[in-house]
Amino acid sequence: MPKIIKKPVKKAKRSIRPTKPSKAVLTLDFSQVDMRHVEQVGGKNASLGEMFRNLTKKGIPVPDGFAVTAEAYWRFLDFNGFREKIDGIMGGLDVKDIDDLSDRGHRVRETIRSGEFPPELQKAVEEAYSRLSRRAGNGKPIGVAVRSSATAEDLPGASFAGQQETYLNIKGKFALTEAVRRCFASLFTNRAIVYRAEKGFDHMKVALSVGVQKMVRSDLASAGVMFTIDTESGFRDAVLVNAAWGLGESVVQGVVNPDQYYIHKPTLKKGFRPIVGKKSGQKETKIVYSEEIYSPVRTVPVPIDDRNRFCLTDDEVLKLAGWAVRIEDWYSRRAGHRQPMDIEWAKDGKTGGLFIVQARPETVQSEKNADFMEEYVLKAKGSVIVKGLSVGSKIGSGKVRVVRHLEEMNRFQDGDVLVAEMTDPDWVPIMKRAAAIVTNSGGRTCHAAIVSRELGTPAVVGTMDGTAKLKDGMEVTVSCAEGEEGHVYKGKLPFEVRRTVLKGFKRPKTAIMLNIGEPEMAFEQSFLPVSGVGLARTEFIFSNYIRIHPLALMDFNKLKDEEIKSKIAGMTVGYPDKSRYFVDRLAEGVGRIAAAFYPNDVIVRMSDFKTNEYAGLIGGAAYEPTEANPMIGWRGASRYYDERFSRAFKLECEAILKVRGEMGLKNVIVMIPFCRTPEEGKRVLATMAAVGLKRHRDGLQVYVMVEIPSNIILAEEFAETFDGFSIGSNDLTQLTLGVDRDSEQVAHLYDERNPAVLASLRSVIRSAKKTRTKIGICGQAPSDYPEFAEFLVREGIDSISLNPDTAIKTSLAIARQEAKQAPKPRAISPNRTAAIPKPFPKGGLRGKG
């Protein structure tokens, strides 16, 4: 290890010293505290008092408790003569010298733990505990959580959360006194020392308050964390709820991979049930009460049946999310601006009641600069060694350093990739030096995830076997830029960072929309300056979310292949009716995209797999014919009303009904692909109506893809059946030129810019204008060729849907083309019979209906 040269600590620039009250106040009940008391009781306790005083009467239950004040901490130090001693131990510390940091921190903590309580403090704590026991436990000593609350905690730019200790299931006056003393000592944990040094706080001018709160018996049920902002993208219209069995420390510490739920806030406020994401975690262990005095909690295995089921019902998830929204609204009013929140919750296993046990401002995503977007893009891919949950959206590479114990930290070098079972706050000094972080355990709200976001370091958590498969010295690339699933690739792979300035971006008059396939990317992509989604592909949801052929799910009990049946059973645990698995998963995927862009239009294309692609789904081979040319075979509309597949299509319709009805995401527009004739379109609409998905009911619009020459030739007849057109230039080019786009032999002839294709586009745009039908394009060509997009603008197309990575570049090209065009209405050419169309109504290009 290279020699570390110690440097004197710079004089602190910031200092926070609690204002001394005229009369010493050593404890305050939560009923006496609110956010005006941060200097006396710290951010955590001030927030608990704020909620207890104001939100319990609004139906949000917060367990009772009291705070040992910052003044009590100073009294304790002065009574024992510790100020000068601590100052002497800390003098000249270089926090980069990990060994010296550990030694000095240990000496300070031992010093504080050896101290005696002043008699008046001992009396004040015992009396406050007795009062709490009378209020909450019929006078008998109750179990309490004892939490540290620094006086600089949860201030903007100074998130001290997790820097100090928490002690759970503390019962009795002796145990409580000892827990308070240990909390005082935890102001000098290694991570807290480093944090203060980096933030410029004087160690001797930050005090510690201690919160004492009645325990919720979540050891008999579940607990977790929720945020009123997406922790990865910063999307503000979602609540993220994480849940695991037992006490909530399992989730906070990252000991388990928890269940995860996303809820859409705007439609939740309207009374809908918008759970737009739901994923079960492994939840292998839980923290429960122990009867031992010196070890009040213990970790035990979770029974296999509990691991395979969700910790919360949908009703409970929605209740928690509703509380989270109300808590955010309350704190936002106080702050004078929208304030996303980080909230801890617990469920009591005896009463079944849910409680909020902590809330603080979210201090990472909410403070990000929204004037630009940064996108990390892998330029090549290698073999994947391990997978897990991605934290953030960055990419990092370096040499693997597996660290199993704190004692191994001195082996870690700047730029290494930290690989560990999990991290806790003591690991922060080396986490700051890592190029990337990989852990076996944890979810998106675990310690490693929270710190990684704050540091801006890519992390892949919950890999299960990262420490086994990744070896010291191995060069790897850690990618969090490919959606919810993070990948650790073998070798150092090339990548680039694309930075897009959004501030002052002027949108073109032509509506720019996005083509999206991956629901987990939708929140991040919603920040692009676009008008919605022109193509939401359900095929990705089929392949990655569902993975099972819908008919195999519907016929589960009749399946003869035991291997396939066993695989389906394992994937659909908790679903006695396997069809519901399909409906729920599809609805969640579509719902997440619709939520990301709400209230803008999201055009969802119903399934457009070919027979060979359907056959590739689990159980699909038994239901799909073998076709010589699937590209022009049994696909799209022709499947939907066919008795061999119509019952599966009805499940798709049920999923859309759930998104629009139950979730309230009425911005979803349905689009039918590969519809060969107007008569076929009518048969599809009748099939949809049979399950309640009726065109124009509750504002539902149905569009059709324009990708077959018959769609061009009979455009006016198709306009009578559907509410809008969306051009699929890929298939249209293939069928216009008679070129199999997958064939290498004729690939040189495939070109969307061919005059025959352009003539077809010009024709259908004119037909749309004549019939006053909304028309857009969702094919690949505008993303690949700016001149193609410029052609469409000249022809008067209403919207152009682009791939996210080309949206800004092509938008600029379109704006330039619009600027070239005369501001007056275009003259109608002699061969055009349509009148100049009236402007579309303000607020959207929704076409007819």
Side-chain angles (χ1 to χ4, degrees):
M1 179 177 178
K3 184 178 179 181
I4 296 175
I5 300 174
K6 297 183 180 180
K7 296 180 182 178
V9 177
K10 291 182 181 179
K11 188 174 181 182
K13 296 178 182 177
R14 303 168 66 183
S15 109
I16 290 184
R17 173 72 166 89
T19 305
K20 219 173 186 179
S22 55
K23 182 180 178 182
V25 178
L26 302 180
T27 65
L28 287 168
D29 291 342
F30 285 169
S31 61
Q32 300 173 286
V33 172
D34 58 28
M35 293 305 295
R36 294 170 296 180
H37 297 82
V38 171
E39 290 188 339
Q40 285 180 272
V41 299
K44 189 179 299 179
N45 287 334
S47 183
L48 281 170
E50 178 79 20
M51 291 192 296
F52 186 81
R53 290 180 67 170
N54 299 290
L55 298 182
T56 51
K57 56 192 176 188
K58 295 180 180 294
I60 301 177
V62 178
D64 198 358
F66 66 91
V68 179
T69 65
E71 180 61 27
Y73 169 80
W74 296 119
R75 285 287 183 94
F76 174 82
L77 293 192
D78 291 340
F79 181 78
N80 291 281
F82 285 162
R83 289 208 202 206
E84 295 76 13
K85 189 172 182 179
I86 294 171
D87 208 21
I89 295 172
M90 298 300 297
L93 169 66
D94 178 2
V95 294
K96 292 183 179 179
D97 185 336
I98 293 176
D99 291 335
D100 190 37
L101 169 67
S102 298
D103 175 64
R104 296 194 197 211
H106 176 74
R107 285 159 57 194
V108 173
R109 293 192 297 273
E110 287 302 303
T111 296
I112 294 176
R113 288 170 187 163
S114 69
E116 297 293 329
F117 270 48
E120 67 272 22
L121 176 57
Q122 184 78 39
K123 181 181 178 183
V125 171
E126 290 181 356
E127 287 181 349
Y129 179 61
S130 295
R131 290 196 303 272
L132 176 60
S133 294
R134 286 195 296 272
R135 292 196 303 269
N138 299 321
K140 296 179 181 180
I142 62 169
V144 292
V146 183
R147 304 180 188 273
S148 308
S149 180
T151 53
E153 190 170 42
D154 300 328
L155 298 179
S159 175
F160 277 57
Q163 300 301 319
Q164 286 81 44
E165 300 291 357
T166 292
Y167 299 93
L168 304 175
N169 190 29
I170 301 301
K171 187 179 292 185
K173 294 177 180 178
F174 172 80
L176 175 58
T177 302
E178 180 59 25
V180 171
R181 185 175 9 245
R182 287 181 171 271
C183 280
F184 285 165
S186 75
L187 189 58
F188 289 88
T189 57
N190 296 349
R191 69 263 190 181
I193 294 169
V194 171
Y195 201 91
R196 285 195 297 274
E198 292 184 344
K199 292 293 182 180
F201 289 98
D202 187 327
H203 297 298
M204 297 311 298
K205 292 185 179 178
V206 173
L208 193 87
S209 170
V210 178
V212 179
Q213 185 179 37
K214 181 188 176 186
M215 286 287 292
V216 175
R217 289 305 302 269
S218 59
D219 62 309
L220 303 175
S222 58
V225 181
M226 56 184 175
F227 289 82
T228 61
I229 188 172
D230 177 37
T231 55
E232 305 313 308
S233 66
F235 180 71
R236 292 183 176 229
D237 281 345
V239 176
L240 167 63
V241 178
N242 275 0
W245 300 113
L247 303 180
E249 292 301 298
S250 290
V251 178
V252 175
Q253 294 174 3
V255 177
V256 299
N257 299 333
D259 296 339
Q260 176 178 285
Y261 312 82
Y262 277 108
I263 304 91
H264 183 233
K265 288 195 283 190
T267 49
L268 178 71
K269 289 180 177 181
K270 293 181 178 181
F272 293 99
R273 298 171 59 84
I275 300 177
V276 298
K278 196 159 100 172
K279 181 181 291 184
S280 178
Q282 286 86 5
K283 311 180 294 290
E284 293 180 331
T285 63
K286 62 180 176 179
I287 300 175
V288 298
Y289 283 10
S290 169
E291 298 302 320
E292 297 180 25
I293 296 175
Y294 297 103
S295 192
V297 296
R298 60 195 177 98
T299 300
V300 299
V302 172
I304 191 68
D305 287 346
D306 286 343
R307 295 183 199 181
N308 290 331
R309 67 185 180 95
F310 286 100
C311 295
L312 296 170
T313 65
D314 286 358
D315 286 343
E316 289 170 334
V317 170
L318 293 165
K319 177 181 281 190
L320 286 171
W323 290 351
V325 168
R326 288 158 62 190
I327 290 169
E328 180 185 73
D329 288 346
W330 178 268
Y331 280 84
S332 296
R333 283 194 294 271
R334 287 196 62 100
H337 59 83
R338 193 170 178 184
Q339 178 58 73
M341 299 296 292
D342 169 355
I343 304 164
E344 294 182 26
W345 61 271
K347 179 180 177 180
D348 193 301
K350 287 191 171 182
T351 66
L354 293 166
F355 294 85
I356 300 299
V357 297
Q358 195 175 143
R360 64 175 73 89
E362 194 277 340
T363 56
V364 179
Q365 289 292 351
S366 58
E367 295 181 12
K368 283 178 67 174
N369 188 341
D371 291 339
F372 67 89
M373 281 186 66
E374 202 173 59
E375 183 184 11
Y376 281 66
V377 181
L378 269 179
K379 303 298 288 182
K381 290 191 179 182
S383 58
V384 176
I385 306 173
V386 293
K387 300 177 182 179
L389 294 173
S390 61
V391 177
S393 58
K394 294 184 177 181
I395 300 170
S397 60
K399 290 184 177 180
V400 167
R401 187 68 59 197
V402 180
V403 180
R404 291 182 169 83
H405 309 287
L406 286 174
E407 293 76 18
E408 299 176 348
M409 282 189 183
N410 58 3
R411 298 191 301 111
F412 197 86
Q413 303 295 315
D414 289 349
D416 283 349
V417 173
L418 173 62
V419 180
E421 173 64 35
M422 62 180 178
T423 67
D424 63 39
D426 286 324
W427 294 59
V428 171
I430 63 169
M431 295 174 76
K432 292 174 181 291
R433 300 162 60 191
I437 297 167
V438 180
T439 67
N440 289 352
S441 304
R444 285 204 167 83
T445 53
C446 72
H447 175 267
I450 291 170
V451 173
S452 296
R453 283 187 208 100
E454 188 165 342
L455 297 176
T457 303
V460 176
V461 301
T463 63
M464 305 297 289
D465 54 4
T467 55
K469 291 185 175 180
L470 298 170
K471 308 297 182 184
D472 269 359
M474 181 186 290
E475 289 194 332
V476 298
T477 300
V478 178
S479 173
C480 298
E482 302 164 84
E484 284 191 342
E485 188 172 73
H487 303 108
V488 181
Y489 292 100
K490 184 178 180 180
K492 285 192 173 183
L493 303 179
F495 64 90
E496 67 176 3
V497 182
R498 298 172 182 167
R499 190 181 175 99
T500 303
V501 177
L502 299 178
K503 188 176 182 179
F505 182 86
K506 189 175 181 181
R507 299 188 186 191
K509 295 175 183 177
T510 305
I512 302 301
M513 306 178 86
L514 291 184
N515 298 329
I516 290 184
E518 303 180 37
E520 58 267 19
M521 299 294 288
F523 287 167
E524 186 170 346
Q525 291 165 347
S526 72
F527 289 96
L528 287 166
V530 297
S531 301
V533 176
L535 173 62
R537 302 182 182 95
T538 57
E539 295 79 35
F540 181 90
I541 302 172
F542 272 63
S543 297
N544 292 272
Y545 274 45
I546 300 169
R547 297 172 53 206
I548 306 168
H549 196 288
L551 293 177
L553 287 165
M554 300 181 85
D555 294 341
F556 176 75
N557 293 325
K558 302 176 185 177
L559 294 179
K560 296 178 181 179
D561 188 320
E562 291 300 325
E563 184 179 346
I564 288 177
K565 192 171 184 179
S566 176
K567 186 179 289 188
I568 293 174
M571 294 171 63
T572 58
V573 171
Y575 280 94
D577 178 358
K578 304 305 179 186
S579 299
R580 295 313 306 171
Y581 169 84
F582 179 92
V583 172
D584 288 352
R585 298 290 281 172
L586 181 56
E588 288 161 17
V590 170
R592 186 145 165 191
I593 297 173
F597 292 87
Y598 183 87
N600 291 323
D601 289 348
V602 172
I603 303 171
V604 178
R605 183 174 70 188
M606 304 302 267
S607 62
D608 192 26
F609 269 161
K610 290 77 176 175
T611 51
N612 57 324
E613 293 168 331
Y614 266 119
L617 296 174
I618 296 170
Y623 295 95
E624 298 297 328
T626 301
E627 294 186 292
N629 193 342
M631 191 73 76
I632 55 173
W634 194 37
R635 61 177 286 202
S638 61
R639 298 180 72 99
Y640 300 161
Y641 57 85
D642 191 304
E643 62 180 13
R644 292 170 294 172
F645 190 79
S646 60
R647 58 195 179 111
F649 176 67
K650 289 175 181 177
L651 292 185
E652 291 185 49
C653 296
E654 287 181 32
I656 299 297
L657 277 172
K658 181 174 181 178
V659 172
R660 288 178 52 86
E662 184 176 314
M663 298 180 183
L665 295 163
K666 301 186 190 301
N667 56 324
V668 165
I669 295 171
V670 170
M671 183 158 67
I672 306 303
F674 224 76
C675 185
R676 294 171 168 94
T677 67
E679 291 73 26
E680 190 170 52
K682 292 172 184 176
R683 294 186 70 176
V684 171
L685 292 175
T687 303
M688 293 169 56
V691 291
L693 194 64
K694 188 173 183 179
R695 179 184 175 215
H696 297 168
R697 178 183 291 172
D698 203 18
L700 174 67
Q701 296 180 72
V702 184
Y703 288 4
V704 66
M705 291 281 288
V706 174
E707 51 193 340
I708 306 170
S710 63
N711 302 143
I712 309 286
I713 298 165
L714 300 176
E716 294 185 25
E717 287 92 331
F718 276 101
E720 293 175 4
T721 305
F722 295 100
D723 301 297
F725 295 142
S726 183
I727 300 166
S729 58
N730 299 357
D731 273 334
L732 183 61
T733 300
Q734 173 176 243
L735 296 174
T736 299
L737 300 178
V739 172
D740 182 349
R741 63 185 183 182
D742 292 336
S743 171
E744 294 179 5
Q745 284 73 25
V746 291
H748 64 283
L749 294 170
Y750 182 91
D751 189 346
E752 295 97 327
R753 297 165 294 180
N754 183 282
V757 178
L758 298 182
S760 295
L761 297 179
R762 183 179 292 114
S763 173
V764 75
I765 292 172
R766 291 176 179 178
S767 295
K769 296 300 178 185
K770 179 179 179 181
T771 58
R772 299 183 182 277
T773 305
K774 190 268 178 182
I775 185 164
I777 186 169
C778 61
Q780 181 69 28
S783 296
D784 289 345
Y785 309 115
E787 68 271 25
F788 190 93
E790 292 168 6
F791 161 78
L792 294 169
V793 171
R794 289 196 300 273
E795 293 302 315
I797 200 161
D798 296 324
S799 67
I800 297 177
S801 194
L802 303 164
N803 296 336
D805 60 342
T806 64
I808 298 294
K809 179 183 71 175
T810 309
S811 292
L812 293 172
I814 290 170
R816 287 193 295 269
Q817 176 61 37
E818 290 176 345
K820 293 177 185 177
Q821 295 180 190
K824 60 184 179 181
R826 287 180 286 115
I828 301 175
S829 60
N831 63 341
R832 188 185 294 188
T833 57
I836 297 173
K838 295 179 182 178
F840 284 96
K842 186 178 179 181
L845 294 166
R846 293 183 177 270
K848 303 188 304 180

